[in-house]
Amino acid sequence: MNINLVDYQSQFRVSMDSDWLLEFLKGMVKPVAALAVVLMAVLLSFMQKLGLEKEMIYSIFRAFLQLSVIGFVLQFIFNQENSGWIVLAYLFMVSVAGYTAGQRAKHVPRGKYVAGVSILAGTAVTLFILVVLNVFPFTPRYIIPVAGMMVGNAMTVTGVTMKRLRDDIKIQMNLVETALALGATPRQATLEQVKRALVIALSPMLDNCKTVGLISLPGAMTGLIMGGASPLEAIQLQIVVMNMLIGASTISSIMSTYLCWSAFFTKAYQLETRVFSSD
């Protein structure tokens, strides 16, 4: 009797696994059909002799593969009750984001480290506040997508801030060195450059907030509505998303400016000319 019960449970698990895989394959019919518009873009690129055909095909194949893999990973994590998986997934996203933002600011010494720490600080503080205020429960289904949105935006803003700050200081080296010679601290000597870098990096996101819902519907809101949620519920979540993106990105970008100074200046409060000598 026990043997039969074990056999039945095993068969049930196999059936559930196969059913889930079958549903996944059926669901991929529409994404595959949507490749028609990519083929159209490839054809237009060929006709215009843009030379982007291989890049388009490679990009969409990579996106297809990455999203499929992450889908299976998230399915696994969502089925676990261990919060350690949340932390692991979050740190992985921060690591990739730090590397990518550091690549954008490749002339900033230890740029990947600066970007990674900045993104970690901004998103961790914002996540902590949201969880404490009970805006989101600390579960994989909520925290991982929310963290992904924050990390992605913080990555873009931080990379732009670091690159712009270094470029502006390079352009205005004479002004900065004059201020330092008159007794200004590195912070005082580069105050205008820091402000400009932060404003340029944060402005696109703020402009997006000003026009959200008027020009286009954001991804989170669109996904909820297409999933059958009420538009009013979707709006409530989107407001939270916009708030958290502004908070995380602002903290991360400001943190990156503080961490950059040790690379831009010597201990004697002089510019590190080797940092600004390369293009």
Side-chain angles (χ1 to χ4, degrees):
M1 182 66 179
N2 291 335
I3 296 177
N4 292 336
L5 181 59
V6 170
D7 291 341
Y8 175 77
Q9 290 176 339
S10 299
Q11 292 174 1
F12 179 74
R13 291 195 190 97
V14 172
S15 176
M16 288 293 292
D17 292 341
S18 61
D19 289 345
W20 178 79
L21 181 59
L22 185 60
E23 286 298 320
F24 172 78
L25 293 175
K26 288 181 179 179
M28 292 303 292
V29 172
K30 291 182 179 179
V32 171
L35 288 175
V37 294
V38 178
L39 295 177
M40 177 183 66
V42 170
L43 180 60
L44 289 173
S45 175
F46 176 77
M47 293 174 62
Q48 295 295 319
K49 299 181 180 179
L50 302 179
L52 295 175
E53 299 86 1
K54 291 182 179 179
E55 187 70 17
M56 288 180 179
I57 295 173
Y58 170 74
S59 298
I60 200 65
F61 173 76
R62 179 171 173 174
F64 188 91
L65 183 62
Q66 288 175 178
L67 289 173
S68 297
V69 171
I70 199 62
F72 285 105
V73 172
L74 289 177
Q75 181 73 24
F76 170 78
I77 294 176
F78 287 175
N79 291 332
Q80 309 303 310
E81 297 181 357
N82 189 349
S83 59
W85 287 104
I86 301 177
V87 177
L88 186 63
Y90 169 64
L91 292 178
F92 174 77
M93 289 187 288
V94 170
S95 300
V96 175
Y99 178 85
T100 305
Q103 286 287 94
R104 177 187 292 270
K106 58 183 178 181
H107 294 302
V108 177
R110 304 188 305 278
K112 298 179 180 65
Y113 163 79
V114 171
V117 173
S118 301
I119 294 169
L120 178 64
T123 55
V125 169
T126 306
L127 268 177
F128 177 77
I129 294 174
L130 293 175
V131 172
V132 169
L133 295 178
N134 201 30
V135 177
F136 293 115
F138 192 74
T139 60
R141 188 169 297 275
Y142 285 91
I143 297 301
I144 292 179
V146 167
M149 286 186 282
M150 285 194 293
V151 169
N153 278 266
M155 174 190 71
T156 302
V157 172
T158 300
V160 172
T161 300
M162 294 167 58
K163 184 179 185 303
R164 185 68 190 192
L165 178 58
R166 184 260 181 191
D167 291 347
D168 278 2
I169 293 177
K170 180 182 178 180
I171 293 172
Q172 299 178 327
M173 283 184 64
N174 292 335
L175 292 176
V176 175
E177 289 176 334
T178 300
L180 292 172
L182 294 174
T185 64
R187 176 69 177 178
Q188 293 169 335
T190 58
L191 185 60
E192 291 303 316
Q193 289 80 11
V194 169
K195 286 183 178 179
R196 188 179 300 110
L198 291 172
V199 169
I200 291 174
L202 292 170
S203 290
M205 182 180 58
L206 297 177
D207 290 340
N208 186 38
C209 288
K210 295 174 186 176
T211 59
V212 64
L214 299 177
I215 299 176
S216 62
L217 296 179
M221 182 176 174
T222 302
L224 283 172
I225 293 176
M226 293 179 67
S230 164
L232 297 179
E233 294 176 347
I235 288 171
Q236 293 169 358
L237 177 62
Q238 188 60 49
I239 292 173
V240 174
V241 169
M242 301 307 296
N243 292 341
M244 71 185 190
L245 293 184
I246 291 178
S249 298
T250 302
I251 296 173
S252 296
S253 58
I254 293 176
M255 176 68 73
S256 68
T257 63
Y258 279 93
L259 295 178
C260 280
W261 279 327
S262 62
F264 292 162
F265 297 91
T266 65
K267 294 182 179 179
Y269 284 3
Q270 295 176 330
L271 280 174
E272 284 279 11
T273 54
R274 61 182 179 81
V275 176
F276 305 99
S277 59
S278 57
D279 293 328

